[in-house]
């Protein structure tokens, strides 16, 4: 059972987004700010309050918004192209940021743009081959198509290891980036059979992820990634269930796949299935219009120790935090918090990190400010440790 709202303290932390650039459009300047709220992580050996954050692919705009909000009428011909995105500043791509929580504010200590071994910056473009570029084609402000990129990624989640390296979840492929302490991508784990498309990349390409992960729905790859406390296992979750035509098991129908991977090699170790709540129970979303199963998504996860995870399940305005134990193929959930009880917590929560055994840091995704949104950070304090006292040693999922 979730703690009573009266026992939980929510504090909005002081933070101001950094302006990166402005792009002129027919309706005025489009402000682009630093994006870093897509994923949060704490390294166990870091000083108290220090966390790592990551932004997603970079500034991008849906075609309809580009036409209506920014007056780019020349792009209206792209409106019927499903998944199309306008990239107003393709040079701005995925970036790591080291942050510190100081009392009731967040400060940025450093930023590390992701780079390949040649020093070239990563960008937010889809990769070549397969159906990635076809599913999510990118265009510049003039409507010209942007070519697929070997150094592209839609980075959505992060974990920080004690040796200084990172594992970063990419929503496109999906894939996992192995990143050095200096922000250099040294390897990319991709679904089996997809590695050939990345020949020539300035990093190792390893076909180790489950082949089925490549069948993720449009814009619904890996967002949630968690690291076990002993740093031997990664837990990654597809944002949404597979489409019915791609699902191969009864357990997977309507449930998101959670894979446990070897944190050093990416080899799959186990598979679980995460069940979603009914869409209408996300009250703030349901009050604004119809909601359905296609709107449900998993945006973040963090390990609570043993085989327990805290999972962020949401639509947009409402987010729920559930504790799950990896002791059966189909997971059972215990509600920890619903933002329907906390209207001061903003929509679009995507980042989640443990500051202590009973304190969380939450962040929203500002989408690089292209829609005027600011990143928001919230510290949520609970009256007792978040982990269930009855920890389970060893997962009960289906072995790989």
């Amino acid at each position: 059972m979730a703690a009573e709202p009266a026992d939980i303290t929510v504090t909005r932390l002081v933070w101001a987004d950094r302006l990166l650039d402005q792009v002129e459009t027919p309706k005025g300047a489009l402000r682009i700010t630093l994006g870093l709220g897509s994923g949060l992580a704490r390294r166990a050996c870091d000083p108290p309050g220090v966390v790592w954050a990551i932004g997603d692919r970079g500034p991008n705009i849906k075609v309809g918004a580009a036409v209506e909000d920014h007056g780019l009428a020349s792009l209206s011909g792209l409106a019927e192209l499903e998944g199309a995105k306008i990239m107003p500043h393709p040079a701005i791509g995925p970036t790591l940021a080291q942050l510190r929580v100081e009392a009731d504010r967040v400060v940025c200590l450093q930023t590390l743009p992701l780079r390949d071994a040649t020093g070239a910056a990563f960008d937010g473009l889809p990769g070549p081959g397969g159906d990635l570029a076809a599913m999510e084609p990118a265009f510049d402000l003039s409507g010209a198509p942007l070519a697929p990129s070997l150094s592209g990624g839609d980075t959505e989640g992060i974990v920080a290891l004690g040796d200084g390296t990172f594992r970063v979840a990419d929503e496109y492929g999906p894939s996992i980036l192995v990143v050095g302490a200096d922000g250099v991508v040294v390897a990319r784990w991709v679904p089996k059979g997809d590695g050939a498309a990345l020949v020539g990349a300035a990093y190792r390409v390893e076909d180790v992820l489950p082949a089925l992960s490549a069948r993720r729905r449009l814009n619904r790859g890996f967002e949630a990634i968690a690291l076990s406390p002993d740093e031997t296992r990664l837990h990654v979750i597809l944002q949404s269930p597979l489409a019915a035509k791609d699902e191969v098991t009864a357990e997977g129908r309507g449930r998101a796949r959670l894979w446990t991977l070897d944190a050093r090699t990416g080899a799959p170790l186990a598979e679980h299935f995460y069940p979603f709540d009914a869409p209408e129970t996300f009250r703030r979303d349901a009050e604004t219009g119809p909601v359905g199963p296609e709107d449900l998504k998993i945006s973040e996860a963090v390990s609570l120790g043993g085989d327990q995870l805290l999972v962020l399940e949401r639509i947009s305005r409402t987010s729920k935090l559930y504790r799950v134990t990896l002791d059966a193929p189909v997971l059972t959930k215990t509600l920890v918090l619903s933002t329907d009880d906390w209207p001061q917590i903003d929509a679009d929560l995507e980042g989640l990190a443990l500051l202590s055994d009973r304190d969380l840091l939450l962040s929203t995704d500002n989408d690089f400010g292209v829609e005027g949104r600011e990143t928001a950070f919230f510290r949520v304090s609970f009256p007792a440790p978040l982990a269930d006292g009855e920890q389970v040693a060893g997962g009960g999922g289906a072995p790989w």
Side-chain angles (χ1 to χ4, degrees), residues 56-221:
D56 57 27
R57 74 182 88 177
N60 64 92
I61 312 170
K62 293 180 180 179
V63 175
V67 174
E68 298 295 327
D69 299 341
H70 302 290
L72 296 167
S74 62
L75 301 177
S76 58
L78 301 174
E80 300 303 316
L81 191 57
E82 185 180 11
K85 292 291 176 67
I86 307 303
M87 309 290 278
H89 203 315
I92 297 176
T95 297
L96 291 168
Q98 188 184 37
L99 311 175
R100 183 168 61 222
V101 179
E102 298 179 350
D104 288 345
R105 68 188 184 120
V106 178
V107 298
C108 183
L109 302 180
Q110 64 171 319
T111 57
L112 291 172
L114 294 190
R115 296 171 289 123
D116 66 22
T118 71
F122 256 60
D123 54 54
L125 299 173
D131 58 3
L132 298 183
M135 286 181 74
E136 302 186 48
F139 301 85
D140 67 15
L141 287 174
S142 73
L146 295 170
S149 171
L150 290 171
S151 294
D154 187 6
T155 50
E156 295 282 0
I158 180 176
V159 295
L161 282 70
D163 64 1
T165 65
F166 305 92
R167 306 292 183 269
V168 174
D170 159 48
E171 190 172 28
Y172 273 141
S175 68
I176 305 293
L177 305 179
V178 180
V179 182
D182 55 359
V184 173
V185 176
V186 297
R188 189 173 207 154
W189 301 338
V190 302
K192 291 181 179 178
D194 283 3
L198 297 175
V199 169
Y203 48 76
R204 296 193 317 274
V205 178
E206 300 173 354
D207 298 48
V208 293
L209 300 180
L212 196 60
S213 64
R215 304 313 307 160
R216 52 84 175 175
R217 287 168 48 198
L218 175 65
N219 202 31
R220 296 296 177 91

Side-chain angles (χ1 to χ4, degrees), residues 114 247 274 312 386:
L114 294 190
E247 185 49 67
Y274 181 96
L312 172 57
L386 288 156

Side-chain angles (χ1 to χ4, degrees), residues 18-378:
R18 180 194 306 171
L19 180 65
L20 298 180
D21 204 352
Q22 294 191 144
V23 176
E24 291 302 321
T25 74
K27 289 191 176 182
L30 171 65
R31 298 178 77 254
I32 299 174
T33 57
L34 178 64
L36 44 69
S38 290
L40 296 174
R42 249 190 70 73
R43 180 175 284 126
C45 58
D46 275 345
V50 172
V51 298
W52 289 91
I54 194 158
D56 57 27
R57 74 182 88 177
N60 64 92
I61 312 170
K62 293 180 180 179
V63 175
V67 174
E68 298 295 327
D69 299 341
H70 302 290
L72 296 167
S74 62
L75 301 177
S76 58
L78 301 174
E80 300 303 316
L81 191 57
E82 185 180 11
K85 292 291 176 67
I86 307 303
M87 309 290 278
H89 203 315
I92 297 176
T95 297
L96 291 168
Q98 188 184 37
L99 311 175
R100 183 168 61 222
V101 179
E102 298 179 350
D104 288 345
R105 68 188 184 120
V106 178
V107 298
C108 183
L109 302 180
Q110 64 171 319
T111 57
L112 291 172
L114 294 190
R115 296 171 289 123
D116 66 22
T118 71
F122 256 60
D123 54 54
L125 299 173
D131 58 3
L132 298 183
M135 286 181 74
E136 302 186 48
F139 301 85
D140 67 15
L141 287 174
S142 73
L146 295 170
S149 171
L150 290 171
S151 294
D154 187 6
T155 50
E156 295 282 0
I158 180 176
V159 295
L161 282 70
D163 64 1
T165 65
F166 305 92
R167 306 292 183 269
V168 174
D170 159 48
E171 190 172 28
Y172 273 141
S175 68
I176 305 293
L177 305 179
V178 180
V179 182
D182 55 359
V184 173
V185 176
V186 297
R188 189 173 207 154
W189 301 338
V190 302
K192 291 181 179 178
D194 283 3
L198 297 175
V199 169
Y203 48 76
R204 296 193 317 274
V205 178
E206 300 173 354
D207 298 48
V208 293
L209 300 180
L212 196 60
S213 64
R215 304 313 307 160
R216 52 84 175 175
R217 287 168 48 198
L218 175 65
N219 202 31
R220 296 296 177 91
F222 292 149
E223 276 211 4
I225 183 170
L227 177 69
S228 65
D230 64 4
E231 300 191 355
T232 63
R233 290 166 293 149
L234 291 175
H235 307 289
V236 295
I237 314 176
L238 283 179
Q239 199 176 358
S240 297
L242 298 177
K245 65 182 177 61
D246 294 318
E247 185 49 67
V248 296
T249 67
E251 294 93 340
R253 298 191 185 283
R255 302 182 177 109
R257 268 183 167 73
L258 184 160
W259 283 289
T260 298
L261 311 175
D262 185 300
R264 300 293 168 180
T265 68
L269 302 175
E271 179 181 68
H272 296 82
F273 300 91
Y274 181 96
F276 286 93
D277 283 5
E280 60 270 18
T281 66
F282 294 78
R283 290 203 313 269
R284 280 193 275 178
D285 290 287
E287 288 167 359
T288 64
V291 292
E294 69 279 1
D295 299 310
L296 301 168
K297 49 195 168 187
I298 305 298
S299 283
E300 185 69 294
V302 65
S303 176
L304 297 176
D307 273 350
Q308 294 185 17
L309 301 177
L310 193 63
V311 177
L312 172 57
E313 177 182 346
R314 71 183 184 96
I315 292 184
S316 178
R317 293 167 176 81
T318 297
S319 297
K320 301 181 185 183
L321 295 176
Y322 276 103
R323 183 175 60 238
V324 300
T325 301
L326 306 180
D327 58 357
V330 178
L331 304 177
T332 56
K333 311 187 300 185
T334 300
L335 182 66
V336 172
L337 178 140
S338 170
T339 63
D340 281 335
D341 297 323
W342 296 96
Q344 69 268 46
I345 298 180
D346 289 357
D348 296 318
L349 284 181
E350 289 199 12
L352 167 65
L354 286 175
L355 295 175
S356 74
D357 65 353
R358 65 193 68 195
D359 295 287
L360 297 175
L361 181 66
L362 305 176
S363 65
T364 64
D365 179 9
N366 73 345
D367 289 326
F368 289 82
V370 297
E371 296 179 357
R373 289 202 297 268
E374 292 276 332
T375 306
F377 291 96
F378 301 88

